[in-house]
């Protein structure tokens, strides 16, 4: 009930935490647990945490295979992540339960079309966005954010590479398909990739508001231990974040109280392919000690 109230107020971060607390009660009612996962997935979805939302949809579907809301949410997550083949499969699964479900019918048609056309669309990317490239560069210059721009396969000149920059998406071959965008208040929302080297896992936040803090996202992401964290070591208070300066082969330890913008403005942070990346480690873990052995580390 508390989670539902936060959800109605559009306080999705607190909704995620409330639903996670409910799941920790280990209720023996699989249908209720399916609802909790579905609701938490919806809150994660609105926060832009599409991978976490998808994981919840998967768990809800395991608990209740006919739970249509979970199937719809999972299909929506795959659409946002540009996994169009998977989106089609989820839609078809839902349509076997209810062949007239309008959302699934429409989404399946859209996903099928995008799956077929995506390769044909990508080569025209730079031309389509060229008129808006300068606007994107100006926004970043105002914020002192530095980009590493790599020329596309077809075009070797850096000037052509710059044409791929816009406020709607920095690079046509971004693996996640997510795009940095400008909201109604004039703030940038970035796709951000979290890497967990110890477990060779990744996490992806599709819309990380430039003025939100890392600790706020960690609280949501690790409200419940991920399935790969068997030792339950990844707690918000136990995680250290870093970024790598590849040119100098040096590491920078982030202050989790800092906002994304504060990190992006650091003189040695360079955004590659439009997707900021951070590395996450468990404090004082044997893996962490070995990983940083011989490396020069700076503190922000």
């Amino acid at each position: 009930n508390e989670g539902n109230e936060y959800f109605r107020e559009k306080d999705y971060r607190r909704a995620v935490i409330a639903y996670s607390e409910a799941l920790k009660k280990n209720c023996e009612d699989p249908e209720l647990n399916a609802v909790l996962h579905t609701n938490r997935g919806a809150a994660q979805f609105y926060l832009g945490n599409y991978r976490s939302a998808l994981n919840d949809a998967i768990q809800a579907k395991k608990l209740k295979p006919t739970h249509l809301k979970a199937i719809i949410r999972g299909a929506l997550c795959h659409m946002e992540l540009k996994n169009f083949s998977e989106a089609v499969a989820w839609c078809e699964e839902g349509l076997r339960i209810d062949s007239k479900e309008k959302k699934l019918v429409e989404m399946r048609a859209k996903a099928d079309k995008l799956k077929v056309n995506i390769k044909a669309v990508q080569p025209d990317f730079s031309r389509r966005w060229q008129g808006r490239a300068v606007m994107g560069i100006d926004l970043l210059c105002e914020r002192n954010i530095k980009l590493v721009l790599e020329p596309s396969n077809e075009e070797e000149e850096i000037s052509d590479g710059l044409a791929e920059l816009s406020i709607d998406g920095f690079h046509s071959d971004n693996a996640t398909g997510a795009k940095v965008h400008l909201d109604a208040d004039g703030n940038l929302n970035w796709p951000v990739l979290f890497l967990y080297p110890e477990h060779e896992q990744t996490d992806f936040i599709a819309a990380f508001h430039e003025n939100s803090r890392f600790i706020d996202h960690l609280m949501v992401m690790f409200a419940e231990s991920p399935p790969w964290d068997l030792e339950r070591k990844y707690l918000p208070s136990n995680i250290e974040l870093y970024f790598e300066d590849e040119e100098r082969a040096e590491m920078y330890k982030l202050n989790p109280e800092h906002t994304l913008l504060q990190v992006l403005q650091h003189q040695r942070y360079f955004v590659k392919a439009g997707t900021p990346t951070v590395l996450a480690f468990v404090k004082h873990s044997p893996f962490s000690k070995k990983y940083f052995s011989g490396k020069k580390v700076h503190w922000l």
Side-chain angles (χ1 to χ4, degrees):
N1 289 338
E2 184 179 314
N4 290 347
E5 186 61 33
Y6 284 132
F7 194 95
R8 280 192 290 271
E9 294 171 0
K10 297 185 179 181
D11 191 342
Y12 301 120
R13 186 177 69 85
R14 284 194 173 92
V16 166
I17 292 170
Y19 293 134
S20 297
E21 288 300 314
L23 284 163
K24 287 177 184 177
K25 299 296 181 183
N26 295 319
C27 171
E28 295 181 0
D29 182 349
E31 187 153 343
L32 177 56
N33 285 330
V35 170
L36 288 168
H37 275 292
T38 301
N39 289 2
R40 187 174 69 175
Q44 293 276 28
F45 185 89
Y46 285 112
L47 285 167
N49 301 334
Y50 301 127
R51 286 197 193 279
S52 297
L54 179 59
N55 287 337
D56 270 320
I58 291 169
Q59 291 302 317
K61 191 155 67 78
K62 284 180 181 177
L63 290 163
K64 186 181 178 183
T66 59
H67 194 29
L68 210 54
K69 283 188 177 180
I71 293 172
I72 292 171
R73 182 64 57 196
L76 285 167
C77 290
H78 279 303
M79 290 293 289
E80 292 294 338
L81 293 167
K82 311 300 181 191
N83 301 331
F84 300 123
S85 294
E86 290 85 349
V88 168
W90 277 64
C91 288
E92 289 179 344
E93 187 175 350
L95 289 169
R96 284 195 289 271
I97 298 167
D98 182 353
S99 61
K100 296 181 180 179
E101 170 54 55
K102 186 179 178 182
K103 287 182 181 177
L104 291 174
V105 171
E106 292 176 351
M107 203 184 329
R108 196 219 176 283
K110 184 177 179 182
D112 212 24
K113 183 178 179 181
L114 288 169
K115 182 181 69 172
V116 172
N117 292 340
I118 188 167
K119 289 183 179 179
V121 170
Q122 283 181 342
D124 296 327
F125 185 93
S126 59
R127 282 189 290 276
R128 286 193 295 116
W129 298 112
Q130 191 165 5
R132 303 178 70 176
V134 175
M135 186 186 299
I137 294 169
D138 288 346
L139 285 168
L140 300 183
C141 288
E142 289 171 8
R143 290 165 167 77
N144 295 318
I145 296 174
K146 297 164 289 297
L147 291 178
V148 174
L149 292 169
E150 299 175 0
S152 61
N153 292 334
E154 295 88 1
E155 318 198 17
E156 295 298 325
E157 296 297 325
I158 291 297
S159 59
D160 289 330
L162 287 173
E164 294 187 0
L165 177 65
S166 81
I167 59 173
D168 291 284
F170 285 115
H171 208 274
S172 60
D173 57 5
N174 183 330
T176 62
K179 302 171 182 179
V180 62
H181 64 273
L182 195 68
D183 63 24
D185 298 320
N187 298 306
L188 289 176
N189 291 264
W190 292 82
V192 176
L193 188 65
F194 286 74
L195 306 178
Y196 307 98
E198 182 173 359
H199 297 277
E200 297 183 347
Q201 296 287 334
T202 63
D203 229 334
F204 178 66
I205 297 176
F208 195 131
H209 191 287
E210 63 181 351
N211 292 323
S212 64
R213 304 177 305 168
F214 280 90
I215 187 61
D216 294 329
H217 282 278
L218 291 177
M219 291 293 289
V220 171
M221 293 160 64
F222 293 95
E224 187 176 89
S225 295
W228 46 264
D229 181 20
L230 300 178
E231 298 178 35
R232 299 185 180 278
K233 297 187 298 184
Y234 284 78
L235 305 172
S237 59
N238 204 32
I239 295 172
E240 294 181 332
L241 300 176
Y242 296 81
F243 73 81
E244 186 174 7
D245 182 346
E246 293 183 5
E247 183 181 327
R248 297 181 180 178
E250 297 174 353
M251 304 291 292
Y252 287 82
K253 183 180 177 183
L254 311 186
N255 181 344
E257 299 289 334
H258 280 175
T259 65
L260 175 61
L261 181 58
Q262 286 176 295
V263 172
L264 296 184
Q265 289 177 329
H266 189 273
Q267 60 181 354
R268 295 306 304 169
Y269 197 98
F270 299 89
V271 179
K272 290 188 174 182
T275 305
T277 302
V278 295
L279 294 89
F281 300 85
V282 172
K283 288 180 183 177
H284 311 304
S285 69
F287 180 89
S288 176
K289 290 177 183 177
K290 183 178 179 181
Y291 188 92
F292 290 105
S293 176
K295 287 186 171 69
K296 187 172 183 179
V297 180
H298 303 273
W299 283 263
L300 270 65

